[in-house]
Amino acid sequence: MAILLGALMPDFTKLPVYGLHIGNWEVIKAPEPWMYHRGWPGSGPTHSLVAGIVAACLVYVVTRSKPWGAGILIGYWSHVLTDTADSVGTMMFFPFTTQHYSFGMWQYASQEGRYGDAAAYFSSLGWAWDVLWIVLVLVLARKALTAEYFHTSVEPADPFWGVLERRFHLSAHVRRAVFRAYMVYGAARVVSWFLWARFLNPDRGVETMDLSWTGPDWVQVPPRFQVASTWGGFAVVTIIGIVGTAATAAVAWHAMKRLPEQLPRDAHPVVGAERQ
Amino acid sequence: MTEHGAEMVAYAVAFSVLVVAGMFLRTLVLNFFVGPMVVVVTVAVVVPLLARRRSP
């Protein structure tokens, strides 16, 4: 559960990217979605490894649960790393460098709006990327979805499930449903968005399937972000970023180790209170 | 039907609902919270229903 929440955290500031509209009233909308979402100035620093360390430390301070601290970090970093696959990428080593790291497998397209972005993503290698992960889970990690694995490996390791059982009295099949819900939801969204993009999208004649690298080519391309002009420059900022991030992680690790493992008696956060 | 079978039916129902609704709904209702809740609620409702049919 912590991994899942960690994976969602970097996009908690994403609302202005597509904007919030009530009727014809535009409540909030970033003028340059790509800059707001991934750039600096903007909320791009949320997509950095250091932000993941900060989030994991905050969760650990509140819960004093090592599985939750580690889970938040793993989930958060997985989001930061996988977002490097699109054409804008992430400032992975912010604040040590604003260098964007991008593999450019598919075109970043939030500037096309919610449905334009969906049409672009599910017409590109992004869609293939999603399908690949679903297939990998079903073929190589099917065991992770079984009831036996959940009850023997997941539940004993994560105090969250004990809370659901003892405090909310959820039966075993409902707890398993909570565990599997995101897998089912995610797979369903991949299928439904793909079917919409290919068969219902009113602009599907123009917004066609394009599985080329950095496709689709019909997307308005965002301006290039900071990238080093030479391989030497790239290596220098990357080494600075790696060293800075590693130092931050080391400082955070030692700071967390100094905290007492038990919360004060009068502190009863949901997760910490059920810690075994 | 076994409990495992009932769960599989429930997941299939939830998956189908999410796919069809996701194709046609033009609102943000199937968000990252409500969408997974559809799965949980479907399993919570359907599994006991099928179990009741199994043992009258």
Side-chain angles (χ1 to χ4, degrees), chain B:
Chain B
M1 185 182 288
T2 62
E3 184 180 31
H4 176 73
E7 281 187 51
M8 291 305 106
V9 170
Y11 286 117
V13 169
F15 181 82
S16 305
V17 167
L18 286 172
V19 168
V20 174
M23 285 174 65
F24 293 101
L25 283 183
R26 294 279 72 91
T27 72
L28 303 181
V29 70
L30 288 179
N31 55 45
F32 283 94
F33 180 75
V34 176
M37 282 298 289
V38 169
V39 179
V40 175
V41 171
T42 305
V43 171
V45 171
V46 170
V47 170
L49 279 177
L50 292 178
R52 209 171 297 154
R53 285 177 55 143
R54 179 181 56 187
S55 52

XYZ file of all heavy atoms in Angstrom, chain B:
422
model
N -20.174 -22.987 -6.777
C -19.013 -22.153 -7.115
C -18.154 -21.928 -5.866
O -18.687 -21.622 -4.796
C -19.505 -20.803 -7.666
C -18.377 -19.918 -8.151
S -18.996 -18.321 -8.752
C -19.765 -18.800 -10.281
N -16.866 -22.079 -6.025
C -15.957 -21.863 -4.898
C -15.819 -20.369 -4.621
O -16.213 -19.541 -5.444
C -14.558 -22.420 -5.223
O -14.050 -21.693 -6.348
C -14.621 -23.909 -5.548
N -15.230 -20.036 -3.469
C -15.015 -18.623 -3.154
C -14.061 -17.998 -4.180
O -14.244 -16.855 -4.594
C -14.451 -18.460 -1.746
C -14.323 -16.982 -1.375
C -13.759 -16.754 0.007
O -12.950 -17.592 0.451
O -14.116 -15.738 0.628
N -13.072 -18.797 -4.595
C -12.134 -18.311 -5.607
C -12.880 -17.996 -6.901
O -12.660 -16.947 -7.529
C -11.056 -19.362 -5.861
C -10.098 -18.979 -6.958
N -9.139 -18.007 -6.803
C -9.980 -19.432 -8.241
C -8.468 -17.877 -7.931
N -8.953 -18.720 -8.816
N -13.784 -18.893 -7.292
C -14.566 -18.673 -8.506
C -15.440 -17.432 -8.385
O -15.549 -16.639 -9.331
N -16.070 -17.276 -7.219
C -16.927 -16.103 -6.999
C -16.104 -14.817 -7.086
O -16.555 -13.809 -7.657
C -17.596 -16.205 -5.632
N -14.901 -14.855 -6.539
C -14.040 -13.664 -6.611
C -13.676 -13.352 -8.058
O -13.693 -12.191 -8.481
C -12.760 -13.875 -5.801
C -12.941 -13.682 -4.311
C -11.614 -13.725 -3.568
O -10.686 -13.006 -3.959
O -11.516 -14.507 -2.610
N -13.368 -14.396 -8.830
C -13.000 -14.164 -10.227
C -14.160 -13.544 -10.998
O -13.973 -12.643 -11.836
C -12.558 -15.481 -10.879
C -11.235 -16.029 -10.361
S -9.865 -14.849 -10.482
C -9.656 -14.373 -8.782
N -15.387 -14.032 -10.719
C -16.566 -13.445 -11.369
C -16.688 -11.974 -10.991
O -16.923 -11.096 -11.843
C -17.842 -14.216 -10.953
C -19.096 -13.459 -11.413
C -17.826 -15.620 -11.536
N -16.475 -11.680 -9.705
C -16.603 -10.294 -9.237
C -15.561 -9.395 -9.903
O -15.872 -8.270 -10.333
C -16.446 -10.248 -7.723
N -14.323 -9.895 -10.005
C -13.286 -9.085 -10.662
C -13.608 -8.874 -12.143
O -13.370 -7.794 -12.695
C -11.907 -9.740 -10.515
C -11.329 -9.627 -9.130
C -11.076 -10.751 -8.365
C -11.064 -8.380 -8.563
C -10.569 -10.654 -7.084
C -10.549 -8.270 -7.290
C -10.302 -9.421 -6.551
O -9.801 -9.318 -5.279
N -14.151 -9.904 -12.775
C -14.513 -9.771 -14.193
C -15.617 -8.729 -14.368
O -15.573 -7.913 -15.309
C -14.967 -11.128 -14.744
N -16.586 -8.745 -13.448
C -17.671 -7.753 -13.503
C -17.092 -6.346 -13.317
O -17.395 -5.422 -14.087
C -18.734 -8.050 -12.424
C -19.724 -6.881 -12.301
C -19.469 -9.339 -12.752
N -16.253 -6.179 -12.295
C -15.669 -4.857 -12.016
C -14.833 -4.375 -13.200
O -14.924 -3.203 -13.602
C -14.808 -4.930 -10.753
N -14.031 -5.274 -13.767
C -13.187 -4.921 -14.910
C -14.058 -4.458 -16.086
O -13.789 -3.422 -16.710
C -12.347 -6.138 -15.305
C -11.411 -5.898 -16.452
C -10.167 -5.291 -16.251
C -11.753 -6.277 -17.740
C -9.304 -5.065 -17.308
C -10.898 -6.056 -18.807
C -9.670 -5.451 -18.591
N -15.126 -5.216 -16.350
C -16.002 -4.873 -17.479
C -16.682 -3.531 -17.257
O -16.780 -2.702 -18.172
C -17.060 -5.966 -17.667
O -16.442 -7.218 -17.814
N -17.169 -3.315 -16.035
C -17.823 -2.042 -15.709
C -16.852 -0.883 -15.920
O -17.197 0.142 -16.529
C -18.349 -2.059 -14.253
C -18.735 -0.652 -13.798
C -19.539 -3.003 -14.128
N -15.628 -1.055 -15.450
C -14.638 0.022 -15.572
C -14.268 0.286 -17.029
O -14.085 1.434 -17.434
C -13.380 -0.321 -14.764
C -13.516 -0.201 -13.244
C -12.279 -0.763 -12.552
C -13.722 1.253 -12.824
N -14.160 -0.781 -17.822
C -13.809 -0.601 -19.234
C -14.922 0.150 -19.961
O -14.679 1.167 -20.638
C -13.552 -1.962 -19.919
C -13.489 -1.795 -21.443
C -12.246 -2.571 -19.420
N -16.159 -0.330 -19.813
C -17.281 0.292 -20.533
C -17.514 1.717 -20.040
O -17.652 2.657 -20.832
C -18.560 -0.571 -20.381
C -19.752 0.129 -21.002
C -18.346 -1.939 -21.022
N -17.546 1.888 -18.713
C -17.763 3.234 -18.158
C -16.623 4.167 -18.567
O -16.857 5.331 -18.909
C -17.866 3.158 -16.645
N -15.416 3.656 -18.558
C -14.259 4.481 -18.920
C -14.303 4.936 -20.358
O -13.786 6.004 -20.698
N -14.914 4.138 -21.220
C -14.992 4.514 -22.631
C -16.006 5.631 -22.867
O -15.818 6.481 -23.736
C -15.386 3.304 -23.483
C -14.274 2.301 -23.678
S -14.867 0.829 -24.532
C -15.320 1.483 -26.129
N -17.085 5.616 -22.073
C -18.199 6.519 -22.392
C -18.377 7.684 -21.424
O -18.939 8.712 -21.803
C -19.503 5.714 -22.477
C -19.506 4.762 -23.640
C -19.242 3.413 -23.463
C -19.747 5.226 -24.928
C -19.218 2.532 -24.532
C -19.726 4.353 -26.015
C -19.455 3.008 -25.816
N -17.952 7.534 -20.173
C -18.140 8.619 -19.215
C -17.190 9.763 -19.513
O -15.990 9.561 -19.658
C -17.901 8.123 -17.784
C -19.010 7.307 -17.147
C -18.634 6.954 -15.708
C -20.323 8.077 -17.152
N -17.716 10.960 -19.614
C -16.885 12.129 -19.890
C -16.775 12.996 -18.639
O -16.902 14.189 -18.687
C -17.482 12.941 -21.057
C -17.477 12.241 -22.387
C -16.104 12.331 -23.061
N -15.093 11.521 -22.432
C -14.811 10.254 -22.760
N -15.474 9.672 -23.706
N -13.868 9.588 -22.139
N -16.615 12.369 -17.499
C -16.391 13.099 -16.257
C -15.139 12.519 -15.600
O -14.565 11.553 -16.084
C -17.571 12.944 -15.286
O -17.559 11.615 -14.767
C -18.896 13.209 -15.977
N -14.773 13.135 -14.492
C -13.576 12.653 -13.793
C -13.936 11.654 -12.708
O -13.144 11.394 -11.810
C -12.830 13.840 -13.176
C -12.414 14.934 -14.147
C -11.670 16.031 -13.416
C -11.546 14.360 -15.253
N -15.144 11.084 -12.795
C -15.618 10.258 -11.681
C -14.777 8.995 -11.492
O -14.599 8.520 -10.371
C -17.119 9.924 -11.862
C -17.337 8.965 -13.021
C -17.693 9.353 -10.576
N -14.249 8.459 -12.586
C -13.444 7.240 -12.453
C -11.997 7.605 -12.136
O -11.065 7.234 -12.848
C -13.519 6.411 -13.733
C -14.847 5.705 -13.970
C -14.806 4.937 -15.279
C -15.189 4.773 -12.825
N -11.819 8.348 -11.063
C -10.477 8.821 -10.719
C -9.713 7.761 -9.924
O -10.182 6.641 -9.736
C -10.576 10.137 -9.937
C -11.470 9.986 -8.727
O -11.370 9.000 -7.999
N -12.353 10.945 -8.505
N -8.554 8.160 -9.424
C -7.673 7.209 -8.758
C -8.224 6.708 -7.422
O -7.662 5.797 -6.839
C -6.290 7.844 -8.533
C -5.461 7.891 -9.763
C -5.452 9.018 -10.562
C -4.700 6.804 -10.139
C -4.687 9.067 -11.714
C -3.930 6.835 -11.293
C -3.925 7.962 -12.073
N -9.285 7.325 -6.941
C -9.887 6.837 -5.697
C -11.170 6.058 -5.996
O -11.341 4.928 -5.549
C -10.177 8.014 -4.755
C -10.785 7.572 -3.461
C -10.005 6.962 -2.485
C -12.139 7.750 -3.225
C -10.567 6.539 -1.288
C -12.704 7.324 -2.030
C -11.916 6.717 -1.059
N -12.056 6.681 -6.770
C -13.350 6.049 -7.043
C -13.178 4.786 -7.890
O -13.852 3.775 -7.646
C -14.304 7.049 -7.738
C -15.624 6.366 -8.114
C -14.577 8.240 -6.839
N -12.290 4.836 -8.875
C -12.093 3.685 -9.753
C -11.753 2.412 -8.988
O -12.459 1.399 -9.101
N -10.684 2.427 -8.172
C -10.380 1.225 -7.384
C -11.495 0.865 -6.409
O -11.708 -0.315 -6.112
C -9.104 1.624 -6.635
C -8.485 2.669 -7.487
C -9.618 3.429 -8.091
N -12.210 1.885 -5.912
C -13.325 1.591 -5.001
C -14.416 0.789 -5.704
O -15.113 -0.010 -5.082
C -13.911 2.890 -4.435
C -13.090 3.506 -3.317
S -12.962 2.428 -1.889
C -14.629 2.510 -1.271
N -14.583 1.022 -7.006
C -15.553 0.235 -7.783
C -15.193 -1.255 -7.688
O -16.068 -2.112 -7.506
C -15.577 0.701 -9.258
C -16.366 -0.283 -10.123
C -16.148 2.099 -9.370
N -13.904 -1.542 -7.783
C -13.451 -2.937 -7.691
C -13.758 -3.502 -6.309
O -14.342 -4.591 -6.169
C -11.934 -3.034 -7.971
C -11.466 -4.481 -7.855
C -11.600 -2.463 -9.337
N -13.398 -2.750 -5.278
C -13.579 -3.234 -3.903
C -15.064 -3.453 -3.594
O -15.448 -4.497 -3.053
C -12.952 -2.234 -2.897
C -13.232 -2.669 -1.469
C -11.452 -2.109 -3.133
N -15.871 -2.476 -3.957
C -17.305 -2.575 -3.662
C -17.932 -3.730 -4.447
O -18.755 -4.484 -3.907
C -18.021 -1.241 -3.973
C -19.529 -1.396 -3.891
C -17.548 -0.163 -3.003
N -17.530 -3.873 -5.697
C -18.085 -4.972 -6.506
C -17.751 -6.319 -5.875
O -18.628 -7.190 -5.745
C -17.521 -4.921 -7.948
O -17.774 -3.636 -8.493
C -18.169 -5.980 -8.820
N -16.506 -6.505 -5.470
C -16.110 -7.772 -4.842
C -16.862 -7.962 -3.518
O -17.364 -9.053 -3.227
C -14.587 -7.815 -4.614
C -14.190 -9.016 -3.772
C -13.856 -7.850 -5.947
N -16.955 -6.873 -2.735
C -17.627 -6.972 -1.438
C -19.093 -7.357 -1.589
O -19.645 -8.057 -0.741
C -17.506 -5.645 -0.686
N -19.726 -6.922 -2.674
C -21.160 -7.203 -2.872
C -21.374 -8.526 -3.588
O -22.224 -9.338 -3.180
C -21.811 -6.037 -3.671
C -23.227 -6.405 -4.077
C -21.798 -4.760 -2.843
N -20.623 -8.762 -4.638
C -20.893 -9.920 -5.507
C -20.500 -11.250 -4.853
O -21.236 -12.240 -4.963
C -20.172 -9.747 -6.872
C -20.244 -11.036 -7.695
C -20.787 -8.599 -7.644
N -19.366 -11.281 -4.167
C -18.892 -12.558 -3.593
C -19.895 -13.137 -2.584
O -20.267 -14.312 -2.692
C -17.482 -12.398 -2.981
C -17.098 -13.633 -2.173
C -16.465 -12.150 -4.087
N -20.411 -12.354 -1.618
C -21.421 -12.927 -0.711
C -22.700 -13.328 -1.435
O -23.349 -14.317 -1.067
C -21.693 -11.793 0.289
C -20.517 -10.902 0.201
C -20.034 -10.995 -1.204
N -23.082 -12.567 -2.481
C -24.291 -12.917 -3.239
C -24.138 -14.285 -3.881
O -25.039 -15.138 -3.800
C -24.563 -11.866 -4.319
C -25.253 -10.583 -3.877
C -25.377 -9.635 -5.060
C -26.620 -10.886 -3.292
N -23.009 -14.510 -4.514
C -22.771 -15.808 -5.160
C -22.645 -16.917 -4.114
O -23.096 -18.045 -4.331
C -21.516 -15.739 -6.024
C -21.625 -14.849 -7.266
C -20.307 -14.821 -8.017
C -22.737 -15.342 -8.185
N -22.064 -16.600 -2.974
C -21.927 -17.595 -1.918
C -23.299 -17.994 -1.378
O -23.533 -19.156 -1.053
C -21.064 -17.033 -0.798
N -24.205 -17.021 -1.282
C -25.562 -17.304 -0.788
C -26.295 -18.217 -1.765
O -27.021 -19.119 -1.363
C -26.318 -15.983 -0.615
C -27.366 -16.034 0.469
C -27.921 -14.648 0.750
N -26.904 -13.737 1.253
C -26.956 -12.416 1.107
N -27.939 -11.861 0.438
N -26.005 -11.652 1.600
N -26.102 -17.975 -3.045
C -26.750 -18.842 -4.059
C -26.207 -20.255 -3.973
O -26.918 -21.226 -4.236
C -26.475 -18.280 -5.458
C -27.300 -17.056 -5.758
C -26.922 -16.530 -7.104
N -27.048 -17.573 -8.123
C -27.469 -17.360 -9.347
N -27.805 -16.159 -9.705
N -27.539 -18.332 -10.213
N -24.923 -20.346 -3.596
C -24.275 -21.651 -3.531
C -24.847 -22.496 -2.404
O -25.006 -23.691 -2.509
C -22.773 -21.428 -3.308
C -21.946 -22.658 -3.191
C -20.506 -22.288 -2.941
N -20.350 -21.441 -1.764
C -19.219 -20.874 -1.407
N -18.161 -21.000 -2.155
N -19.132 -20.148 -0.319
N -25.180 -21.846 -1.251
C -25.670 -22.611 -0.098
C -27.030 -22.081 0.356
O -27.106 -21.217 1.215
C -24.668 -22.484 1.047
O -24.390 -21.113 1.272
N -28.126 -22.578 -0.250
C -29.457 -22.056 0.067
C -29.886 -22.422 1.504
O -29.476 -23.446 2.010
C -30.350 -22.739 -0.960
C -29.609 -23.949 -1.369
C -28.155 -23.644 -1.243
